[in-house]
């Protein structure tokens, strides 16, 4: 924890995480289906991702589908899976472009084979992650079938197994041990978490990692979220005083 207290704080966040909320309401306001709202959400994702990477933000995390989103109507879940499939296939076609941008694409969440995500999506994810693994300018994390509580539970189980096998001593476990077993292992925690659409909650997103994150909320619905809105969030962030529990 000492490391966090003395962390170097710069005006530009190293890691920005975004809860892409408000697609459904955006669609309803226009008499469109919720799926069309999610499609517009993908355009916003691409716009903000591009802009943030151009600004030099090294880590981005987008909340695309939570472990709780499976409870939505089957039609909406299917439409979201179709959207992920399409987005992954398009990204595959644009491989040269991604290489030029030097983006490393990572998917975080429960990606275990035989789990809830369809096998073809898992295969596309695997391909995308392998192809971009050597890139190092911007890491783009897409959280899919992701739950913060489940992620911490998974880390705890792994550590408990290591202790039971005699590989670790429970009395010497540290916060770093938990961090090494999270999906975001090796990446800095988010400095700034943005949630549009008027809601002010974390919804099981990056629970461990957000311990010292700054939050920025706005009423704008995600499909309408502009690069100017993103810049406003950055300007507010730059004016904040981060003390990490110190004075
Ligand atoms: C929450 O808004 C949004 C989602 C559950 C889906 C977000 C997913 C995308 C924008 C697609 C992104 C795809 C990629 C590949 C990154 P909501 O539907 O709950 O909105 P509401 O609260 O207005 O109903």
């Amino acid at each position: 924890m000492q490391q966090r207290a003395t962390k170097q704080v710069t005006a530009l966040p190293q890691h920005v995480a975004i809860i892409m909320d408000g697609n459904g309401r955006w669609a309803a306001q226009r008499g469109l289906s919720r799926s069309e709202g999610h499609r517009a959400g993908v355009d916003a994702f691409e716009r903000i991702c591009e802009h943030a990477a151009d600004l030099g933000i090294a880590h981005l995390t987008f909340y695309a589908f939570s472990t709780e989103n499976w409870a939505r109507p089957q039609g909406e879940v299917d439409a979201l899976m179709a959207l992920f499939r399409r987005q992954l296939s398009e990204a595959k076609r644009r491989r040269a472009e991604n290489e030029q941008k030097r983006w490393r694409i990572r998917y975080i969440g429960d990606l275990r084979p035989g789990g809830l995500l369809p096998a073809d999506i898992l295969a596309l994810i695997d391909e995308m992650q392998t192809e971009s693994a050597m890139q190092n300018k911007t890491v783009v994390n897409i959280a899919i079938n992701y739950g913060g509580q489940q992620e911490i539970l998974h880390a705890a189980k792994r550590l408990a197994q290591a202790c039971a096998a005699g590989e670790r001593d429970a009395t010497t476990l540290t916060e770093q041990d938990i961090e090494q077993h999270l999906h975001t292992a090796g990446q800095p925690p988010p400095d700034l978490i943005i949630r549009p659409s008027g809601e002010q909650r974390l919804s099981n997103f990056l629970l461990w990692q957000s311990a010292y994150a700054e939050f920025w909320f706005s009423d704008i619905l995600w499909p309408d979220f502009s690069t100017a809105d993103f810049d406003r969030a950055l300007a507010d962030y730059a004016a904040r005083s981060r003390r990490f529990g110190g004075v």
Side-chain angles (χ1 to χ4, degrees):
M1 295 317 251
Q2 181 61 21
Q3 195 192 350
R4 287 197 185 113
T6 57
K7 190 176 181 286
Q8 200 66 34
V9 179
T10 56
L12 188 71
Q14 245 197 311
H15 185 170
V16 177
I18 304 182
I19 300 174
M20 303 184 286
D21 196 13
N23 299 342
R25 278 163 284 168
W26 181 92
Q29 284 172 3
R30 288 159 181 76
L32 302 171
S33 68
R34 293 181 58 83
S35 310
E36 284 169 289
H38 294 313
R39 254 196 296 283
V42 176
D43 294 341
F45 157 76
E46 288 179 349
R47 177 167 72 237
I48 298 304
C49 206
E50 194 84 47
H51 179 65
D54 285 349
L55 291 175
I57 295 169
H59 299 262
L60 297 163
T61 302
F62 293 87
Y63 203 6
F65 194 87
S66 75
T67 42
E68 288 70 37
N69 287 153
W70 295 108
R72 292 189 174 209
Q74 193 57 43
E76 183 173 348
V77 170
D78 290 345
L80 277 163
M81 292 301 136
L83 215 51
F84 298 142
R85 213 172 260 123
R86 200 183 66 178
Q87 217 273 335
L88 277 156
S89 306
E90 272 172 22
K92 195 171 145 183
R93 272 197 293 282
R94 294 198 308 239
R95 184 180 171 175
E97 203 183 304
N98 285 342
E99 273 174 18
Q100 200 199 352
K101 288 191 228 158
R102 300 189 12 243
W103 287 6
R104 178 170 185 181
I105 316 287
R106 295 188 61 175
Y107 283 78
I108 61 170
D110 185 351
L111 307 178
R112 281 176 291 189
L116 292 172
L117 284 169
D120 67 313
I121 291 189
L122 289 175
L124 284 165
I125 286 177
D126 195 40
E127 213 177 314
M128 170 66 60
Q129 295 197 131
T130 310
E131 272 177 11
S132 70
M134 301 308 287
Q135 307 303 334
N136 59 6
K137 184 169 172 279
T138 312
V139 180
V140 180
N141 299 290
I142 298 172
I144 181 171
N145 195 22
Y146 174 88
Q149 291 179 335
Q150 293 82 343
E151 181 185 34
I152 296 168
L153 177 65
H154 170 76
K157 281 183 181 171
R158 295 287 297 272
L159 290 169
Q161 282 160 356
C163 291
E167 294 157 14
R168 291 300 310 263
D169 170 359
T171 62
T172 64
L173 293 177
T174 64
E175 290 92 342
Q176 283 71 31
D177 289 310
I178 301 268
E179 278 161 10
Q180 279 165 17
H181 287 88
L182 300 178
H183 303 308
T184 50
Q187 299 193 56
D191 300 298
L192 173 64
I193 297 183
I194 295 175
R195 181 164 195 160
S197 94
E199 312 292 354
Q200 302 196 357
R201 53 178 173 263
L202 260 180
S203 301
N204 207 10
F205 187 46
L206 302 179
L207 296 185
W208 175 283
Q209 299 89 333
S210 63
Y212 283 96
E214 296 292 323
F215 290 88
W216 194 83
F217 299 108
S218 99
D219 289 338
I220 301 150
L221 302 176
W222 175 247
D224 287 331
F225 204 85
S226 68
T227 54
D229 295 321
F230 188 80
D231 291 347
R232 260 190 291 280
L234 291 189
D236 282 356
Y237 169 85
R240 302 221 184 142
S241 161
R242 301 185 74 194
R243 293 184 293 278
F244 299 94
V247 288

